[in-house]
Amino acid sequence: MKKVIAGLIFPVLVSGVLLTGSCKNRSAERQIKDFEKETVDTLEKKIEENVYPLPTSAEIIRLLSDLEVGYNLGISNPVENTKKYFSSTKRAMNLGVYGADLSYATLYNMEKEVINQMD
């Protein structure tokens, strides 16, 4: 009878010890995940506080409309400057400027300026 009871108690004790150890590992893993999440959240908040948000194109259009700013003829990049851009990086930057100039002229319905830019 003692052997039967000992035979039943021993596996229960072994499984209890094994399960208790795995619970500790899970809580440690949870703590690590929580710490990593808090660290990521803290970094995101610091980035949001320190990085100046650039306005979207819609915000710029709304701002120009609200301020009732007129079209300035001399503000766009002259078409003659295209011959000055030799490297691929300068060409890429000029493409961005070109796009901004087209958007600016289109905003004020300056068809002549848009056609000049397209040429």
Side-chain angles (χ1 to χ4, degrees), residues 86-105:
F86 296 111
S87 68
S88 62
T89 54
K90 288 185 178 181
R91 286 182 189 167
M93 288 180 5
N94 188 42
L95 181 63
V97 171
Y98 172 73
D101 288 345
L102 283 177
S103 298
Y104 181 63

mmCIF file with all atom_site columns, all heavy atoms in Angstrom, residues 86-105:
data_model
loop_
_atom_site.group_PDB
_atom_site.id
_atom_site.type_symbol
_atom_site.label_atom_id
_atom_site.label_alt_id
_atom_site.label_comp_id
_atom_site.label_asym_id
_atom_site.label_entity_id
_atom_site.label_seq_id
_atom_site.pdbx_PDB_ins_code
_atom_site.Cartn_x
_atom_site.Cartn_y
_atom_site.Cartn_z
_atom_site.occupancy
_atom_site.B_iso_or_equiv
_atom_site.pdbx_formal_charge
_atom_site.auth_seq_id
_atom_site.auth_comp_id
_atom_site.auth_asym_id
_atom_site.auth_atom_id
_atom_site.pdbx_PDB_model_num
ATOM 1   N N   . PHE A 1 86  ? 24.324 67.796 -63.419 1.00 0.00 ? 86  PHE A N   1
ATOM 2   C CA  . PHE A 1 86  ? 25.003 66.707 -64.114 1.00 0.00 ? 86  PHE A CA  1
ATOM 3   C C   . PHE A 1 86  ? 24.881 65.374 -63.376 1.00 0.00 ? 86  PHE A C   1
ATOM 4   O O   . PHE A 1 86  ? 24.633 64.350 -63.985 1.00 0.00 ? 86  PHE A O   1
ATOM 5   C CB  . PHE A 1 86  ? 26.489 67.036 -64.310 1.00 0.00 ? 86  PHE A CB  1
ATOM 6   C CG  . PHE A 1 86  ? 26.708 68.225 -65.203 1.00 0.00 ? 86  PHE A CG  1
ATOM 7   C CD1 . PHE A 1 86  ? 27.208 69.406 -64.694 1.00 0.00 ? 86  PHE A CD1 1
ATOM 8   C CD2 . PHE A 1 86  ? 26.418 68.154 -66.556 1.00 0.00 ? 86  PHE A CD2 1
ATOM 9   C CE1 . PHE A 1 86  ? 27.413 70.498 -65.517 1.00 0.00 ? 86  PHE A CE1 1
ATOM 10  C CE2 . PHE A 1 86  ? 26.620 69.240 -67.384 1.00 0.00 ? 86  PHE A CE2 1
ATOM 11  C CZ  . PHE A 1 86  ? 27.119 70.421 -66.863 1.00 0.00 ? 86  PHE A CZ  1
ATOM 12  N N   . SER A 1 87  ? 25.080 65.387 -62.061 1.00 0.00 ? 87  SER A N   1
ATOM 13  C CA  . SER A 1 87  ? 25.062 64.127 -61.316 1.00 0.00 ? 87  SER A CA  1
ATOM 14  C C   . SER A 1 87  ? 23.626 63.652 -61.108 1.00 0.00 ? 87  SER A C   1
ATOM 15  O O   . SER A 1 87  ? 22.667 64.423 -61.178 1.00 0.00 ? 87  SER A O   1
ATOM 16  C CB  . SER A 1 87  ? 25.753 64.294 -59.964 1.00 0.00 ? 87  SER A CB  1
ATOM 17  O OG  . SER A 1 87  ? 25.004 65.143 -59.131 1.00 0.00 ? 87  SER A OG  1
ATOM 18  N N   . SER A 1 88  ? 23.507 62.366 -60.846 1.00 0.00 ? 88  SER A N   1
ATOM 19  C CA  . SER A 1 88  ? 22.163 61.795 -60.670 1.00 0.00 ? 88  SER A CA  1
ATOM 20  C C   . SER A 1 88  ? 21.483 62.328 -59.410 1.00 0.00 ? 88  SER A C   1
ATOM 21  O O   . SER A 1 88  ? 20.260 62.494 -59.394 1.00 0.00 ? 88  SER A O   1
ATOM 22  C CB  . SER A 1 88  ? 22.232 60.270 -60.629 1.00 0.00 ? 88  SER A CB  1
ATOM 23  O OG  . SER A 1 88  ? 23.011 59.849 -59.541 1.00 0.00 ? 88  SER A OG  1
ATOM 24  N N   . THR A 1 89  ? 22.247 62.637 -58.369 1.00 0.00 ? 89  THR A N   1
ATOM 25  C CA  . THR A 1 89  ? 21.629 63.176 -57.154 1.00 0.00 ? 89  THR A CA  1
ATOM 26  C C   . THR A 1 89  ? 21.092 64.577 -57.393 1.00 0.00 ? 89  THR A C   1
ATOM 27  O O   . THR A 1 89  ? 20.008 64.914 -56.928 1.00 0.00 ? 89  THR A O   1
ATOM 28  C CB  . THR A 1 89  ? 22.621 63.193 -55.979 1.00 0.00 ? 89  THR A CB  1
ATOM 29  O OG1 . THR A 1 89  ? 23.804 63.899 -56.372 1.00 0.00 ? 89  THR A OG1 1
ATOM 30  C CG2 . THR A 1 89  ? 23.008 61.801 -55.551 1.00 0.00 ? 89  THR A CG2 1
ATOM 31  N N   . LYS A 1 90  ? 21.849 65.392 -58.138 1.00 0.00 ? 90  LYS A N   1
ATOM 32  C CA  . LYS A 1 90  ? 21.372 66.746 -58.432 1.00 0.00 ? 90  LYS A CA  1
ATOM 33  C C   . LYS A 1 90  ? 20.164 66.704 -59.355 1.00 0.00 ? 90  LYS A C   1
ATOM 34  O O   . LYS A 1 90  ? 19.249 67.506 -59.235 1.00 0.00 ? 90  LYS A O   1
ATOM 35  C CB  . LYS A 1 90  ? 22.483 67.587 -59.032 1.00 0.00 ? 90  LYS A CB  1
ATOM 36  C CG  . LYS A 1 90  ? 23.538 67.967 -58.016 1.00 0.00 ? 90  LYS A CG  1
ATOM 37  C CD  . LYS A 1 90  ? 24.552 68.903 -58.593 1.00 0.00 ? 90  LYS A CD  1
ATOM 38  C CE  . LYS A 1 90  ? 25.574 69.297 -57.523 1.00 0.00 ? 90  LYS A CE  1
ATOM 39  N NZ  . LYS A 1 90  ? 26.574 70.224 -58.044 1.00 0.00 ? 90  LYS A NZ  1
ATOM 40  N N   . ARG A 1 91  ? 20.164 65.741 -60.276 1.00 0.00 ? 91  ARG A N   1
ATOM 41  C CA  . ARG A 1 91  ? 19.001 65.592 -61.152 1.00 0.00 ? 91  ARG A CA  1
ATOM 42  C C   . ARG A 1 91  ? 17.770 65.176 -60.356 1.00 0.00 ? 91  ARG A C   1
ATOM 43  O O   . ARG A 1 91  ? 16.663 65.651 -60.600 1.00 0.00 ? 91  ARG A O   1
ATOM 44  C CB  . ARG A 1 91  ? 19.275 64.563 -62.241 1.00 0.00 ? 91  ARG A CB  1
ATOM 45  C CG  . ARG A 1 91  ? 20.207 65.058 -63.312 1.00 0.00 ? 91  ARG A CG  1
ATOM 46  C CD  . ARG A 1 91  ? 20.395 64.012 -64.380 1.00 0.00 ? 91  ARG A CD  1
ATOM 47  N NE  . ARG A 1 91  ? 21.450 64.399 -65.283 1.00 0.00 ? 91  ARG A NE  1
ATOM 48  C CZ  . ARG A 1 91  ? 22.005 63.594 -66.145 1.00 0.00 ? 91  ARG A CZ  1
ATOM 49  N NH1 . ARG A 1 91  ? 21.622 62.325 -66.219 1.00 0.00 ? 91  ARG A NH1 1
ATOM 50  N NH2 . ARG A 1 91  ? 22.963 64.013 -66.945 1.00 0.00 ? 91  ARG A NH2 1
ATOM 51  N N   . ALA A 1 92  ? 17.964 64.278 -59.408 1.00 0.00 ? 92  ALA A N   1
ATOM 52  C CA  . ALA A 1 92  ? 16.852 63.820 -58.575 1.00 0.00 ? 92  ALA A CA  1
ATOM 53  C C   . ALA A 1 92  ? 16.310 64.969 -57.733 1.00 0.00 ? 92  ALA A C   1
ATOM 54  O O   . ALA A 1 92  ? 15.090 65.130 -57.594 1.00 0.00 ? 92  ALA A O   1
ATOM 55  C CB  . ALA A 1 92  ? 17.300 62.668 -57.682 1.00 0.00 ? 92  ALA A CB  1
ATOM 56  N N   . MET A 1 93  ? 17.199 65.777 -57.169 1.00 0.00 ? 93  MET A N   1
ATOM 57  C CA  . MET A 1 93  ? 16.755 66.926 -56.382 1.00 0.00 ? 93  MET A CA  1
ATOM 58  C C   . MET A 1 93  ? 16.014 67.925 -57.274 1.00 0.00 ? 93  MET A C   1
ATOM 59  O O   . MET A 1 93  ? 14.992 68.488 -56.877 1.00 0.00 ? 93  MET A O   1
ATOM 60  C CB  . MET A 1 93  ? 17.940 67.594 -55.684 1.00 0.00 ? 93  MET A CB  1
ATOM 61  C CG  . MET A 1 93  ? 18.467 66.749 -54.550 1.00 0.00 ? 93  MET A CG  1
ATOM 62  S SD  . MET A 1 93  ? 19.879 67.370 -53.604 1.00 0.00 ? 93  MET A SD  1
ATOM 63  C CE  . MET A 1 93  ? 20.239 68.952 -54.164 1.00 0.00 ? 93  MET A CE  1
ATOM 64  N N   . ASN A 1 94  ? 16.510 68.139 -58.478 1.00 0.00 ? 94  ASN A N   1
ATOM 65  C CA  . ASN A 1 94  ? 15.849 69.059 -59.392 1.00 0.00 ? 94  ASN A CA  1
ATOM 66  C C   . ASN A 1 94  ? 14.477 68.529 -59.802 1.00 0.00 ? 94  ASN A C   1
ATOM 67  O O   . ASN A 1 94  ? 13.553 69.311 -60.021 1.00 0.00 ? 94  ASN A O   1
ATOM 68  C CB  . ASN A 1 94  ? 16.705 69.305 -60.629 1.00 0.00 ? 94  ASN A CB  1
ATOM 69  C CG  . ASN A 1 94  ? 16.129 70.394 -61.505 1.00 0.00 ? 94  ASN A CG  1
ATOM 70  O OD1 . ASN A 1 94  ? 15.670 71.414 -61.010 1.00 0.00 ? 94  ASN A OD1 1
ATOM 71  N ND2 . ASN A 1 94  ? 16.149 70.174 -62.802 1.00 0.00 ? 94  ASN A ND2 1
ATOM 72  N N   . LEU A 1 95  ? 14.336 67.221 -59.899 1.00 0.00 ? 95  LEU A N   1
ATOM 73  C CA  . LEU A 1 95  ? 13.033 66.641 -60.207 1.00 0.00 ? 95  LEU A CA  1
ATOM 74  C C   . LEU A 1 95  ? 12.027 66.972 -59.103 1.00 0.00 ? 95  LEU A C   1
ATOM 75  O O   . LEU A 1 95  ? 10.870 67.284 -59.374 1.00 0.00 ? 95  LEU A O   1
ATOM 76  C CB  . LEU A 1 95  ? 13.148 65.127 -60.396 1.00 0.00 ? 95  LEU A CB  1
ATOM 77  C CG  . LEU A 1 95  ? 11.873 64.386 -60.754 1.00 0.00 ? 95  LEU A CG  1
ATOM 78  C CD1 . LEU A 1 95  ? 11.342 64.873 -62.104 1.00 0.00 ? 95  LEU A CD1 1
ATOM 79  C CD2 . LEU A 1 95  ? 12.125 62.889 -60.796 1.00 0.00 ? 95  LEU A CD2 1
ATOM 80  N N   . GLY A 1 96  ? 12.468 66.921 -57.854 1.00 0.00 ? 96  GLY A N   1
ATOM 81  C CA  . GLY A 1 96  ? 11.601 67.296 -56.740 1.00 0.00 ? 96  GLY A CA  1
ATOM 82  C C   . GLY A 1 96  ? 11.216 68.766 -56.793 1.00 0.00 ? 96  GLY A C   1
ATOM 83  O O   . GLY A 1 96  ? 10.064 69.134 -56.564 1.00 0.00 ? 96  GLY A O   1
ATOM 84  N N   . VAL A 1 97  ? 12.199 69.622 -57.108 1.00 0.00 ? 97  VAL A N   1
ATOM 85  C CA  . VAL A 1 97  ? 11.927 71.055 -57.238 1.00 0.00 ? 97  VAL A CA  1
ATOM 86  C C   . VAL A 1 97  ? 10.971 71.296 -58.397 1.00 0.00 ? 97  VAL A C   1
ATOM 87  O O   . VAL A 1 97  ? 10.046 72.109 -58.305 1.00 0.00 ? 97  VAL A O   1
ATOM 88  C CB  . VAL A 1 97  ? 13.253 71.831 -57.432 1.00 0.00 ? 97  VAL A CB  1
ATOM 89  C CG1 . VAL A 1 97  ? 12.998 73.284 -57.784 1.00 0.00 ? 97  VAL A CG1 1
ATOM 90  C CG2 . VAL A 1 97  ? 14.107 71.727 -56.181 1.00 0.00 ? 97  VAL A CG2 1
ATOM 91  N N   . TYR A 1 98  ? 11.180 70.589 -59.481 1.00 0.00 ? 98  TYR A N   1
ATOM 92  C CA  . TYR A 1 98  ? 10.322 70.692 -60.662 1.00 0.00 ? 98  TYR A CA  1
ATOM 93  C C   . TYR A 1 98  ? 8.872  70.331 -60.305 1.00 0.00 ? 98  TYR A C   1
ATOM 94  O O   . TYR A 1 98  ? 7.942  71.022 -60.676 1.00 0.00 ? 98  TYR A O   1
ATOM 95  C CB  . TYR A 1 98  ? 10.876 69.769 -61.745 1.00 0.00 ? 98  TYR A CB  1
ATOM 96  C CG  . TYR A 1 98  ? 10.022 69.604 -62.970 1.00 0.00 ? 98  TYR A CG  1
ATOM 97  C CD1 . TYR A 1 98  ? 9.905  70.612 -63.905 1.00 0.00 ? 98  TYR A CD1 1
ATOM 98  C CD2 . TYR A 1 98  ? 9.347  68.411 -63.205 1.00 0.00 ? 98  TYR A CD2 1
ATOM 99  C CE1 . TYR A 1 98  ? 9.127  70.452 -65.049 1.00 0.00 ? 98  TYR A CE1 1
ATOM 100 C CE2 . TYR A 1 98  ? 8.564  68.241 -64.333 1.00 0.00 ? 98  TYR A CE2 1
ATOM 101 C CZ  . TYR A 1 98  ? 8.461  69.268 -65.246 1.00 0.00 ? 98  TYR A CZ  1
ATOM 102 O OH  . TYR A 1 98  ? 7.694  69.106 -66.363 1.00 0.00 ? 98  TYR A OH  1
ATOM 103 N N   . GLY A 1 99  ? 8.705  69.248 -59.566 1.00 0.00 ? 99  GLY A N   1
ATOM 104 C CA  . GLY A 1 99  ? 7.370  68.836 -59.132 1.00 0.00 ? 99  GLY A CA  1
ATOM 105 C C   . GLY A 1 99  ? 6.724  69.870 -58.231 1.00 0.00 ? 99  GLY A C   1
ATOM 106 O O   . GLY A 1 99  ? 5.522  70.157 -58.341 1.00 0.00 ? 99  GLY A O   1
ATOM 107 N N   . ALA A 1 100 ? 7.509  70.446 -57.328 1.00 0.00 ? 100 ALA A N   1
ATOM 108 C CA  . ALA A 1 100 ? 6.975  71.484 -56.437 1.00 0.00 ? 100 ALA A CA  1
ATOM 109 C C   . ALA A 1 100 ? 6.576  72.720 -57.232 1.00 0.00 ? 100 ALA A C   1
ATOM 110 O O   . ALA A 1 100 ? 5.533  73.334 -56.966 1.00 0.00 ? 100 ALA A O   1
ATOM 111 C CB  . ALA A 1 100 ? 8.012  71.840 -55.379 1.00 0.00 ? 100 ALA A CB  1
ATOM 112 N N   . ASP A 1 101 ? 7.392  73.097 -58.220 1.00 0.00 ? 101 ASP A N   1
ATOM 113 C CA  . ASP A 1 101 ? 7.054  74.248 -59.058 1.00 0.00 ? 101 ASP A CA  1
ATOM 114 C C   . ASP A 1 101 ? 5.771  74.010 -59.842 1.00 0.00 ? 101 ASP A C   1
ATOM 115 O O   . ASP A 1 101 ? 4.928  74.904 -59.969 1.00 0.00 ? 101 ASP A O   1
ATOM 116 C CB  . ASP A 1 101 ? 8.206  74.560 -60.025 1.00 0.00 ? 101 ASP A CB  1
ATOM 117 C CG  . ASP A 1 101 ? 9.407  75.166 -59.325 1.00 0.00 ? 101 ASP A CG  1
ATOM 118 O OD1 . ASP A 1 101 ? 9.270  75.605 -58.172 1.00 0.00 ? 101 ASP A OD1 1
ATOM 119 O OD2 . ASP A 1 101 ? 10.497 75.188 -59.946 1.00 0.00 ? 101 ASP A OD2 1
ATOM 120 N N   . LEU A 1 102 ? 5.617  72.805 -60.387 1.00 0.00 ? 102 LEU A N   1
ATOM 121 C CA  . LEU A 1 102 ? 4.392  72.483 -61.123 1.00 0.00 ? 102 LEU A CA  1
ATOM 122 C C   . LEU A 1 102 ? 3.171  72.535 -60.203 1.00 0.00 ? 102 LEU A C   1
ATOM 123 O O   . LEU A 1 102 ? 2.121  73.066 -60.579 1.00 0.00 ? 102 LEU A O   1
ATOM 124 C CB  . LEU A 1 102 ? 4.498  71.101 -61.765 1.00 0.00 ? 102 LEU A CB  1
ATOM 125 C CG  . LEU A 1 102 ? 5.340  70.997 -63.025 1.00 0.00 ? 102 LEU A CG  1
ATOM 126 C CD1 . LEU A 1 102 ? 5.398  69.547 -63.492 1.00 0.00 ? 102 LEU A CD1 1
ATOM 127 C CD2 . LEU A 1 102 ? 4.794  71.879 -64.122 1.00 0.00 ? 102 LEU A CD2 1
ATOM 128 N N   . SER A 1 103 ? 3.311  72.005 -58.999 1.00 0.00 ? 103 SER A N   1
ATOM 129 C CA  . SER A 1 103 ? 2.194  72.029 -58.045 1.00 0.00 ? 103 SER A CA  1
ATOM 130 C C   . SER A 1 103 ? 1.835  73.458 -57.667 1.00 0.00 ? 103 SER A C   1
ATOM 131 O O   . SER A 1 103 ? 0.655  73.815 -57.574 1.00 0.00 ? 103 SER A O   1
ATOM 132 C CB  . SER A 1 103 ? 2.555  71.242 -56.786 1.00 0.00 ? 103 SER A CB  1
ATOM 133 O OG  . SER A 1 103 ? 2.795  69.906 -57.100 1.00 0.00 ? 103 SER A OG  1
ATOM 134 N N   . TYR A 1 104 ? 2.860  74.273 -57.457 1.00 0.00 ? 104 TYR A N   1
ATOM 135 C CA  . TYR A 1 104 ? 2.652  75.671 -57.080 1.00 0.00 ? 104 TYR A CA  1
ATOM 136 C C   . TYR A 1 104 ? 1.926  76.422 -58.195 1.00 0.00 ? 104 TYR A C   1
ATOM 137 O O   . TYR A 1 104 ? 0.970  77.160 -57.945 1.00 0.00 ? 104 TYR A O   1
ATOM 138 C CB  . TYR A 1 104 ? 4.006  76.306 -56.772 1.00 0.00 ? 104 TYR A CB  1
ATOM 139 C CG  . TYR A 1 104 ? 3.958  77.752 -56.347 1.00 0.00 ? 104 TYR A CG  1
ATOM 140 C CD1 . TYR A 1 104 ? 3.305  78.135 -55.179 1.00 0.00 ? 104 TYR A CD1 1
ATOM 141 C CD2 . TYR A 1 104 ? 4.574  78.736 -57.106 1.00 0.00 ? 104 TYR A CD2 1
ATOM 142 C CE1 . TYR A 1 104 ? 3.274  79.450 -54.783 1.00 0.00 ? 104 TYR A CE1 1
ATOM 143 C CE2 . TYR A 1 104 ? 4.553  80.068 -56.713 1.00 0.00 ? 104 TYR A CE2 1
ATOM 144 C CZ  . TYR A 1 104 ? 3.899  80.416 -55.551 1.00 0.00 ? 104 TYR A CZ  1
ATOM 145 O OH  . TYR A 1 104 ? 3.865  81.726 -55.157 1.00 0.00 ? 104 TYR A OH  1
ATOM 146 N N   . ALA A 1 105 ? 2.364  76.233 -59.428 1.00 0.00 ? 105 ALA A N   1
ATOM 147 C CA  . ALA A 1 105 ? 1.722  76.914 -60.556 1.00 0.00 ? 105 ALA A CA  1
ATOM 148 C C   . ALA A 1 105 ? 0.299  76.399 -60.768 1.00 0.00 ? 105 ALA A C   1
ATOM 149 O O   . ALA A 1 105 ? -0.610 77.169 -61.079 1.00 0.00 ? 105 ALA A O   1
ATOM 150 C CB  . ALA A 1 105 ? 2.552  76.727 -61.821 1.00 0.00 ? 105 ALA A CB  1
#
